[in-house]
Amino acid sequence: MQLSGKVAIVTGASTGLGRAIAGRYAAEGAAVVVADINDPEPAVAEILEAGGVAVGQRVDVASEDQVTAMVAEVISRFGQIDVLVNNAAVSASLKQQPFEDIDLHEWRKVMDVNVLGVFLCIRAVTPSMRARRSGSIINIGSGTAIKALPRLTHYVASKAAVHVMTRSLARELGVDNITINAIAPGYFLTEGNLGNPEFLALQRDIAVQNRSIPRDAYPDDLTGAAVFFAGDQSRFITGQILPVDGGSV
Ligand SMILES: NC(=O)c1ccc[n+]([C@@H]2O[C@H](COP(=O)([O-])OP(=O)(O)OC[C@H]3O[C@@H](n4cnc5c(N)ncnc54)[C@H](O)[C@@H]3O)[C@@H](O)[C@H]2O)c1
């Protein structure tokens, strides 16, 4: 129970890596807010059935008003926010393509959700974290931004922005005892990736071959790092980007 007494918001937690993180946080004793643009209730029900504490919040992280309202609701319900995991992103649905072919609408959507959304959520939670001089922010970046995966330029650029925001905000938030770190996952077999057969065929075998631990990665492989950055064991670690990829980077 490494997160007993903590309140954690996990964005994009209806499915995939976010759902696994939310479930593990609840199992570690946190009260979890499952925040997603899609129905959060099945993920909430799963946590409640396992004996955990969770509530759902419908939110578009790219909407300033919705993010502000979500944070106000969480504070009125729980009185505090200890952990924010910025996991929501446009990712699994994207098609690899030459950079000249990327549609500008899609480019802006990726930047809105993956970069502006992270900024808005951080900006909304920090006043209450600052007031309590305590908080852990975990951004989900990507190994693609370290390795420079081609043919997904908007996504890779958005995740590089997340990594650099993590480092620069660490220098702004540390004075108030707030840590901010990023996890850079490798290629995981989430529902979203399994539902994108074209990308799966391109990435799965290459990802496994490039790993020091040459096997597929599943959402449960990521949750330990997310618990570490949310808990007291990492209280003097900030501004770091941790690849969780079986030793690929
Ligand atoms: N799965 C991987 O292999 C992998 C690898 C590297 C990085 N990542 C990153 O990990 C995170 C989770 O990945 P995943 O594969 O589970 O993704 P996913 O696409 O399966 O799930 C993303 C979740 O975010 C939600 N979401 C999307 N837009 C939103 C918005 N505007 N507001 C609120 N919620 C929104 C979706 O509804 C969904 O529940 C993402 O940040 C992704 O970029 C994933």
Side-chain angles (χ1 to χ4, degrees):
M1 301 295 269
Q2 294 181 62
L3 305 181
S4 250
K6 292 191 188 285
V7 176
I9 298 175
V10 185
T11 70
S14 285
T15 186
L17 299 181
R19 186 165 178 160
I21 292 168
R24 178 75 193 276
Y25 277 10
E28 294 286 348
V32 179
V33 180
V34 175
D36 206 291
I37 200 165
N38 285 327
D39 186 6
E41 293 312 323
V44 169
E46 193 173 77
I47 290 172
L48 298 179
E49 273 163 31
V53 176
V55 295
Q57 276 281 330
R58 280 256 197 184
V59 65
D60 176 354
V61 294
S63 157
E64 183 178 15
D65 290 349
Q66 289 184 34
V67 168
T68 304
M70 169 185 72
V71 168
E73 169 71 23
V74 173
I75 288 175
S76 93
R77 186 188 281 255
F78 293 107
Q80 66 195 63
I81 298 168
D82 300 283
V83 181
L84 165 68
V85 182
N86 283 307
N87 166 83
V90 180
S91 61
S93 60
L94 296 170
K95 195 173 78 180
Q96 274 194 292
Q97 56 189 325
F99 76 93
E100 302 96 323
D101 297 344
I102 295 173
D103 173 68
L104 285 193
H105 175 74
E106 188 175 279
W107 178 282
R108 291 194 174 103
K109 174 88 185 158
V110 167
M111 291 299 162
D112 262 6
V113 177
N114 298 13
V115 184
L116 180 67
V118 170
F119 169 77
L120 290 175
C121 289
I122 293 171
R123 201 182 60 173
V125 300
T126 44
S128 75
M129 288 183 173
R130 280 192 155 122
R132 296 173 60 234
R133 292 190 53 74
S134 171
S136 309
I137 298 170
I138 297 127
N139 295 327
I140 306 300
S142 173
T144 61
I146 301 173
K147 299 200 266 187
L149 185 78
R151 295 162 58 85
L152 213 52
T153 303
H154 46 357
Y155 176 77
V156 174
S158 76
K159 291 298 180 174
V162 169
H163 291 183
V164 178
M165 257 202 290
T166 303
R167 288 160 51 78
S168 72
L169 286 179
R171 297 204 184 274
E172 289 195 47
L173 296 172
V175 70
D176 288 312
N177 199 37
I178 299 166
T179 63
I180 176 164
N181 292 287
I183 294 172
Y187 185 72
F188 275 67
L189 294 190
T190 52
E191 287 161 52
N193 280 342
L194 289 167
N196 186 344
E198 204 184 318
F199 195 56
L200 186 71
L202 284 170
Q203 292 302 324
R204 183 178 183 170
D205 291 346
I206 296 173
V208 170
Q209 282 160 21
N210 284 331
R211 288 179 182 146
S212 305
I213 304 169
R215 65 162 173 82
D216 286 323
Y218 296 94
D220 276 356
D221 291 316
L222 188 99
T223 57
V227 171
F228 174 67
F229 281 136
D232 296 338
Q233 301 301 318
S234 61
R235 65 177 175 235
F236 201 51
I237 300 173
T238 195
Q240 303 306 307
I241 295 146
L242 179 67
V244 177
D245 63 357
S248 182
V249 168

Coordinates of all heavy atoms in Angstrom, one line a residue, residues 8 13 20 30 32 35 39 56 67 87 92 108 115 122 130 145 149 152 154 160 166 179 197 208 215 229 234:
A8 N -5.2 10.6 -6.5 CA -4.5 10.6 -7.8 C -5.5 10.8 -9.0 O -6.5 10.1 -9.0 CB -3.8 9.3 -8.0
A13 N -7.7 7.3 -18.5 CA -7.6 6.1 -17.8 C -8.8 5.1 -18.1 O -8.9 4.1 -17.4 CB -7.6 6.4 -16.3
A20 N -4.5 0.7 -16.6 CA -3.6 -0.2 -15.8 C -3.0 0.6 -14.6 O -2.9 0.1 -13.5 CB -2.5 -0.8 -16.6
A30 N -4.5 4.3 -3.1 CA -4.9 5.7 -3.5 C -6.4 5.8 -3.9 O -7.0 4.8 -4.3 CB -4.1 6.2 -4.7
V32 N -8.7 7.1 -6.7 CA -8.3 7.4 -8.0 C -9.4 8.1 -8.8 O -10.6 7.7 -8.7 CB -7.9 6.1 -8.8 CG1 -7.5 6.4 -10.2 CG2 -6.7 5.5 -8.1
A35 N -10.1 9.9 -15.3 CA -10.4 11.1 -16.1 C -10.3 10.8 -17.6 O -9.1 10.5 -18.0 CB -9.6 12.3 -15.7
D39 N -16.2 7.2 -21.8 CA -16.8 6.7 -20.6 C -15.8 6.1 -19.6 O -15.3 5.0 -19.9 CB -17.9 5.6 -21.0 CG -18.7 5.2 -19.8 OD1 -18.6 5.8 -18.7 OD2 -19.6 4.3 -20.0
G56 N -15.3 8.5 -11.6 CA -15.0 8.8 -13.0 C -15.3 10.3 -13.2 O -16.1 10.9 -12.6
V67 N -11.0 21.1 -17.9 CA -10.0 20.8 -16.9 C -10.1 21.5 -15.6 O -10.0 20.9 -14.5 CB -8.6 21.0 -17.6 CG1 -7.5 20.9 -16.6 CG2 -8.3 20.0 -18.7
N87 N -1.6 11.1 -18.9 CA -1.5 9.9 -19.7 C -2.3 10.1 -21.0 O -1.9 9.5 -22.0 CB -1.9 8.7 -18.9 CG -2.1 7.5 -19.8 OD1 -1.2 6.8 -20.2 ND2 -3.4 7.2 -20.2
A92 N -2.6 5.7 -30.3 CA -2.8 4.4 -30.9 C -3.6 4.5 -32.2 O -3.4 3.7 -33.1 CB -3.5 3.4 -30.0
R108 N -2.7 19.5 -35.5 CA -3.2 20.4 -34.4 C -3.9 19.6 -33.3 O -3.8 19.9 -32.1 CB -4.1 21.5 -35.0 CG -3.4 22.5 -35.9 CD -4.2 23.7 -36.2 NE -3.4 24.7 -36.9 CZ -3.5 24.9 -38.2 NH1 -4.4 24.2 -38.9 NH2 -2.7 25.7 -38.8
V115 N 0.1 18.0 -25.9 CA 0.9 19.0 -25.3 C 0.1 20.0 -24.5 O 0.3 20.2 -23.3 CB 1.8 19.7 -26.4 CG1 2.7 20.7 -25.8 CG2 2.5 18.7 -27.3
I122 N -1.5 20.3 -15.7 CA -0.5 20.7 -14.7 C -0.9 22.1 -14.1 O -0.8 22.3 -12.9 CB 0.9 20.8 -15.3 CG1 1.4 19.4 -15.7 CG2 1.9 21.4 -14.4 CD1 2.6 19.3 -16.6
R130 N 0.9 23.5 -4.6 CA 1.8 24.5 -4.0 C 1.3 24.8 -2.6 O 2.2 25.0 -1.7 CB 1.8 25.7 -4.9 CG 2.6 25.6 -6.1 CD 2.8 27.0 -6.8 NE 4.1 27.0 -7.5 CZ 4.1 27.2 -8.9 NH1 3.0 27.5 -9.5 NH2 5.3 27.2 -9.5
A145 N 10.2 9.5 -28.9 CA 10.9 10.9 -28.9 C 12.3 10.8 -28.5 O 13.1 11.7 -28.8 CB 10.1 11.8 -27.9
L149 N 11.5 8.0 -33.8 CA 10.8 7.1 -34.8 C 10.3 8.0 -36.0 O 9.8 9.0 -35.8 CB 9.5 6.6 -34.1 CG 8.7 5.5 -34.9 CD1 9.4 4.2 -34.8 CD2 7.3 5.4 -34.3
L152 N 6.0 9.5 -38.0 CA 4.9 9.8 -37.0 C 5.3 11.1 -36.4 O 5.3 11.3 -35.1 CB 4.9 8.7 -35.9 CG 3.6 8.3 -35.3 CD1 2.5 8.0 -36.3 CD2 3.8 7.1 -34.3
H154 N 4.3 14.3 -36.0 CA 3.5 15.1 -35.1 C 3.5 14.4 -33.7 O 3.7 15.1 -32.7 CB 2.1 15.3 -35.6 CG 1.3 14.1 -36.1 ND1 1.9 12.8 -36.3 CD2 0.1 14.0 -36.6 CE1 1.0 12.0 -36.8 NE2 -0.1 12.7 -37.0
A160 N 8.2 14.7 -27.5 CA 9.5 15.4 -27.2 C 9.1 16.7 -26.4 O 9.8 17.0 -25.4 CB 10.2 15.8 -28.4
T166 N 8.7 18.5 -18.9 CA 9.0 17.8 -17.6 C 10.2 18.4 -17.0 O 10.3 18.7 -15.8 CB 9.1 16.3 -17.9 OG1 8.0 15.8 -18.5 CG2 9.4 15.6 -16.6
T179 N 7.3 17.3 -7.3 CA 8.2 16.6 -8.3 C 7.4 16.4 -9.6 O 6.2 16.3 -9.6 CB 8.6 15.2 -7.8 OG1 7.5 14.4 -7.6 CG2 9.4 15.3 -6.5
P197 N -4.0 -3.0 -36.6 CA -3.2 -4.1 -37.1 C -2.0 -3.7 -38.0 O -1.0 -4.3 -38.0 CB -4.2 -4.9 -37.9 CG -5.5 -4.4 -37.6 CD -5.4 -3.1 -37.0
V208 N 10.4 -5.9 -30.1 CA 10.9 -7.0 -29.3 C 12.4 -7.2 -29.6 O 13.2 -7.4 -28.7 CB 10.1 -8.3 -29.6 CG1 10.7 -9.5 -28.9 CG2 8.6 -8.1 -29.0
R215 N 11.0 -9.5 -25.2 CA 9.6 -10.1 -25.2 C 8.6 -8.9 -25.4 O 9.0 -7.7 -25.3 CB 9.3 -10.8 -23.9 CG 9.3 -9.9 -22.6 CD 8.6 -10.6 -21.4 NE 8.8 -9.9 -20.2 CZ 8.0 -8.9 -19.8 NH1 7.1 -8.4 -20.6 NH2 8.2 -8.3 -18.6
F229 N 7.1 6.9 -9.0 CA 7.1 8.3 -9.2 C 6.0 9.0 -8.4 O 6.0 10.2 -8.1 CB 7.1 8.7 -10.6 CG 8.4 8.6 -11.4 CD1 8.4 8.1 -12.6 CD2 9.6 9.1 -10.8 CE1 9.7 8.0 -13.3 CE2 10.8 9.0 -11.5 CZ 10.8 8.4 -12.7
S234 N 10.4 8.3 -4.2 CA 11.0 9.1 -5.3 C 11.0 10.6 -4.9 O 11.1 11.5 -5.8 CB 10.3 8.9 -6.6 OG 9.0 9.3 -6.5

